[in-house]
Amino acid sequence: MASTTGNAFNTTLFKRLLSFTRPYRGTYYFVAISAILLAVVAIGMPYLIKVAIDDHIIPREFDGFTGVIMMMIGVLAADVILQLSFIFYANWLGQQVIRDLRLKLFNHMLNFKMKYFDTSAVGKLVTRAVSDIETIASIFSEGLFVIISDLLKMVVVLGFMAYSSWQLTLITLAVMPFLLYATRLFQKAMKTAFEEVRNQVSNLNSFVQERVTGMKIVQIFNRERVEYEEFKEINNKHRKAWVKTVWYNSIFFPIAEMASSIVIGLIVYIGVVMNIGAEVKMVEIGTIVMFIDLSQKLFRPLRQIADKFNTLQMGMVAANRVFKILDTDAQIEDQGELIASDLKGAIEFKNVDFAYVENELVLKNLNFKVQPGETVAIVGATGAGKSTIINLLSRFYEINAGEILIDSASSKAYDLQSLRSQIAVVLQDVFLFADTIFNNITLQNPEITEEDVIKAAKKIGVHKFIKSLPNGYQYNVKERGVMLSSGQRQLIAFLRAYVSNPSILVLDEATSSIDAYSEQLIQDATDIITKGRTSIVIAHRLATIKKADKIIVMDAGEIVEIGTHSELLEKEGGYYKNLYEVQFLQQEVA
């Protein structure tokens, strides 16, 4: 897609945006017709004023004057009705378009690979989905149709002026080339300025979002002053970008007003001069008055077009940013036709290589098998690649080489949604939405009833804890679950995984900063939800490791040992034995 940067206007981008109006063609054409009628009505009032002055007021001939007044009222009423219809339906169309565009954008983002979110600032994505799309609405409400309406008014007014008096028309047009040139320069300058404004808005949103999210770290490390100074600098850049647009406006609009005033003066002067010494008046007084009015109707739209073109360009800049995301091909390939239902749970990694960053492998030639119903513990130092296995199993990332088999079929052969519905993941960093506990457990799945949730909660031993909270299962945990402790959030995550009844369960069972009571609940919950189903556990507790049917020991992205707890302890100088003696044995003694 062509960029709008550096161009005054991008027709390809504009046509693409207009394609979103197709479902609302009736409204689109109605607004367009209203714009045409407004242009016609624009000359009605000046002409009727001319008739009133030349045919009735100056000759003091008042027969039919009432009829002229009634026609003025009729033209005024028509103008009001057309303006009302035009403004309402132009805005209505804009809101329909941005609703559809925002839904399309959000749906597109929902299917991005995790890698895209790893490298994209959350604040900027929020800007695209909210404020940028809101800016696009102004293209329809304040930009496109207003410009069309004003252009039509100018054409109709100019044509009528030429028909009424070509001499006065030439006078009116004398300053037009200068004004058109100034308008063109203004549009180009504003295009660049608005691009900078949108960049600074994105930077502001990204900065504020990150600092608010990480406020605890900011305050713990006494970075309030540092962050304030950095924000002040970003905010100052935003101010400078906006001041530049104000500067351009402050130059252009006085020039446009001055040109308009010069034209009025010339019309009056030349009109009077044309009548001096003439036996027959070359120009009627009413015509001079009409031309003064018509010249304003000619120059006012020109000034408004420049202003509205700013709005249009700002919307186009926003549209360009939104379409860049829509054109981003960052989705996981989903061409599998197998429907994953009631999987046995057999898993096999065959010669798997994976890198988050090109040429920096995190997993190297990984090979292991997990039998149906087996519990496999994965242990190793931080950075060994344990969590990466979780990400690859659920196809959050694409592997660089090798193959991942589930029930003897490639994971790519499965329909992605059905595959993920059979895999439940409990991560170390539990994420809860600002919603009730019940909704955080079911994730709005209508097939999971409150009775199912309560039954599962009782089975894994968390029902008592939930009922102790105000409103029980309807307790709102607020953003990211801040109203709960880390242990309580972990228990909610266990329950969420359990009620989904997965064929394969993946657990990152970290218990750092968790009290002994919560840790015991988590241990009991782990025993219950792993029973009878294939489970992969990134193990942090010796109790879990001992109970595993198989232990995979990893180091630097490679499997160094595989076996049971007792088998691995028998290996003299083994990696697991050393890890056990240094780390896990302390837990057992404690």
Side-chain angles (χ1 to χ4, degrees):
M1 184 186 70
S3 171
T4 60
T5 306
N7 300 323
F9 193 75
N10 188 301
T11 53
T12 303
L13 179 65
F14 188 62
K15 288 178 181 178
R16 185 175 180 186
L17 188 59
L18 282 184
S19 67
F20 283 85
T21 66
R22 287 172 186 164
Y24 315 104
R25 284 180 179 172
T27 303
Y28 180 83
Y29 290 132
F30 176 80
V31 175
I33 292 170
S34 297
I36 296 172
L37 294 175
L38 280 169
V40 175
V41 170
I43 63 173
M45 191 63 73
Y47 175 72
L48 290 173
I49 291 173
K50 172 196 177 306
V51 171
I53 293 172
D54 290 342
D55 296 350
H56 299 284
I57 296 175
I58 291 177
R60 296 181 178 277
E61 180 59 57
F62 295 107
D63 288 342
F65 186 68
T66 302
V68 174
I69 298 299
M70 294 304 295
M71 283 189 284
M72 286 183 179
I73 294 173
V75 169
L76 181 61
D79 187 54
V80 170
I81 293 171
L82 287 170
Q83 287 281 5
L84 176 63
S85 301
F86 177 81
I87 294 171
F88 176 81
Y89 285 106
N91 279 273
W92 182 89
L93 181 63
Q95 291 302 315
Q96 297 300 113
V97 167
I98 67 167
R99 179 198 63 183
D100 296 346
L101 187 57
R102 185 177 280 130
L103 285 173
K104 184 173 183 178
L105 177 66
F106 188 69
N107 185 58
H108 191 67
M109 290 167 58
L110 284 174
N111 295 289
F112 277 159
K113 302 174 185 177
M114 288 298 109
K115 185 176 181 180
Y116 180 86
F117 297 104
D118 292 342
T119 56
S120 300
V122 174
K124 289 186 178 181
L125 293 178
V126 171
T127 301
R128 301 296 176 268
V130 182
S131 62
D132 276 345
I133 287 187
E134 203 62 44
T135 303
I136 292 173
S138 63
I139 290 179
F140 299 94
S141 61
E142 301 175 38
L144 170 65
F145 291 115
V146 174
I147 290 174
I148 291 174
S149 178
D150 286 344
L151 285 173
L152 287 172
K153 284 179 183 178
M154 291 176 66
V155 170
V156 172
V157 167
L158 194 57
F160 185 69
M161 290 172 76
Y163 171 78
S164 301
S165 172
W166 64 268
Q167 297 97 330
L168 293 181
T169 301
L170 288 177
I171 294 169
T172 305
L173 293 176
V175 300
M176 189 67 77
F178 167 74
L179 196 54
L180 288 173
Y181 179 69
T183 301
R184 180 66 173 169
L185 291 178
F186 176 66
Q187 290 168 353
K188 287 186 175 181
M190 290 300 287
K191 170 66 179 64
T192 304
F194 281 138
E195 180 75 30
E196 179 63 20
V197 166
R198 296 315 301 170
N199 279 332
Q200 296 306 326
V201 168
S202 291
N203 291 338
L204 269 177
N205 285 345
S206 182
F207 185 89
V208 172
Q209 190 274 333
E210 288 181 352
R211 270 56 184 185
V212 171
T213 302
M215 189 57 70
K216 184 181 290 186
I217 298 299
V218 170
Q219 295 184 357
I220 286 174
F221 290 94
N222 296 315
R223 287 188 57 84
E224 293 92 339
R225 191 68 198 171
V226 175
E227 299 299 342
Y228 171 75
E229 292 299 328
E230 189 172 349
F231 177 78
K232 188 162 70 172
E233 179 64 25
I234 295 173
N235 195 39
N236 192 45
K237 289 180 180 179
H238 177 260
R239 180 191 62 82
K240 286 180 179 179
W242 267 112
V243 167
K244 190 178 291 185
T245 68
V246 173
W247 169 246
Y248 293 145
N249 277 290
S250 65
I251 294 175
F252 174 77
F253 287 104
I255 290 175
E257 285 294 334
M258 182 178 67
S260 176
S261 298
I262 290 172
V263 167
I264 292 173
L266 287 173
I267 289 173
V268 174
Y269 177 75
I270 300 299
V272 172
V273 169
M274 287 173 66
N275 286 334
I276 294 175
E279 294 182 4
V280 179
K281 289 183 179 180
M282 298 290 291
V283 182
E284 298 288 344
I285 299 299
T287 302
I288 294 175
V289 174
M290 180 182 75
F291 261 76
I292 292 173
D293 196 356
L294 289 175
S295 68
Q296 294 306 296
K297 289 185 180 294
L298 184 65
F299 285 100
R300 190 181 301 117
L302 187 60
R303 294 195 299 270
Q304 288 180 349
I305 285 173
D307 189 33
K308 298 307 178 185
F309 201 87
N310 296 339
T311 301
L312 181 61
Q313 286 191 134
M314 203 162 187
M316 293 293 283
V317 169
N320 186 51
R321 293 170 177 273
V322 169
F323 284 133
K324 276 184 179 178
I325 296 181
L326 286 172
D327 291 337
T328 300
D329 184 17
Q331 278 83 11
I332 291 288
E333 183 182 335
D334 186 16
Q335 298 179 348
E337 297 181 353
L338 287 178
I339 301 300
S341 59
D342 298 324
L343 294 176
K344 294 179 181 177
I347 301 170
E348 182 177 2
F349 277 57
K350 293 177 65 175
N351 306 314
V352 172
D353 287 347
F354 174 74
Y356 291 105
V357 180
E358 191 174 356
N359 299 322
E360 295 183 17
L361 289 179
V362 177
L363 298 181
K364 308 163 190 174
N365 195 33
L366 206 66
N367 289 276
F368 68 87
K369 290 183 180 181
V370 180
Q371 300 301 324
E374 197 173 40
T375 296
V376 174
I378 303 177
V379 299
T382 301
K386 305 185 296 296
S387 296
T388 301
I389 292 176
I390 294 175
N391 291 329
L392 297 183
L393 187 62
S394 298
R395 292 200 65 203
F396 292 136
Y397 298 85
E398 297 282 22
I399 59 177
N400 295 69
E403 193 174 24
I404 299 175
L405 304 177
I406 298 177
D407 282 6
S408 302
S410 170
S411 60
K412 293 183 179 180
Y414 289 98
D415 170 78
L416 186 60
Q417 188 173 358
S418 70
L419 175 64
R420 288 178 177 171
S421 70
Q422 292 296 305
I423 303 174
V425 181
V426 178
L427 297 174
Q428 179 177 348
D429 183 18
V430 177
F431 186 93
L432 297 181
F433 296 95
D435 206 334
T436 64
I437 286 181
F438 177 77
N439 287 337
N440 268 290
I441 294 168
T442 64
L443 296 178
Q444 310 287 350
N445 186 343
E447 296 180 3
I448 303 176
T449 66
E450 187 171 0
E451 184 181 347
D452 295 331
V453 172
I454 293 174
K455 183 178 179 181
K458 289 179 177 179
K459 192 167 184 179
I460 67 173
V462 299
H463 176 71
K464 184 178 179 180
F465 134 66
I466 295 174
K467 290 299 291 183
S468 68
L469 297 171
N471 299 321
Y473 288 87
Q474 299 305 315
Y475 179 66
N476 193 310
V477 299
K478 306 300 180 183
E479 188 175 0
R480 300 183 68 89
V482 295
M483 302 304 292
L484 302 178
S485 69
S486 55
Q488 291 171 330
R489 291 197 295 271
Q490 194 89 30
L491 289 169
I492 297 300
F494 270 76
L495 184 54
R496 178 161 63 192
Y498 188 48
V499 297
S500 67
N501 193 29
S503 300
I504 298 172
L505 184 67
V506 182
L507 302 178
D508 188 344
E509 52 143 21
T511 56
S512 58
S513 304
I514 292 178
D515 59 87
Y517 176 72
S518 294
E519 183 171 354
Q520 184 58 50
L521 285 177
I522 289 173
Q523 182 61 57
D524 295 340
T526 300
D527 294 341
I528 294 169
I529 69 175
T530 58
K531 188 176 181 180
R533 59 167 55 92
T534 303
S535 303
I536 296 179
V537 183
I538 296 179
H540 300 267
R541 291 190 297 270
L542 184 60
T544 302
I545 296 170
K546 284 183 175 180
K547 293 175 183 177
D549 300 304
K550 186 191 300 180
I551 301 170
I552 297 175
V553 186
M554 296 190 66
D555 182 43
E558 298 179 285
I559 295 176
V560 292
E561 293 173 346
I562 295 180
T564 63
H565 175 68
S566 57
E567 290 171 348
L568 293 175
L569 285 181
E570 292 176 1
K571 292 185 178 182
E572 285 298 326
Y575 188 99
Y576 177 79
K577 185 174 182 179
N578 180 62
L579 191 67
Y580 170 78
E581 291 172 349
V582 173
Q583 180 179 339
F584 297 128
L585 193 58
Q586 296 177 4
Q587 296 179 17
E588 192 169 44
V589 172

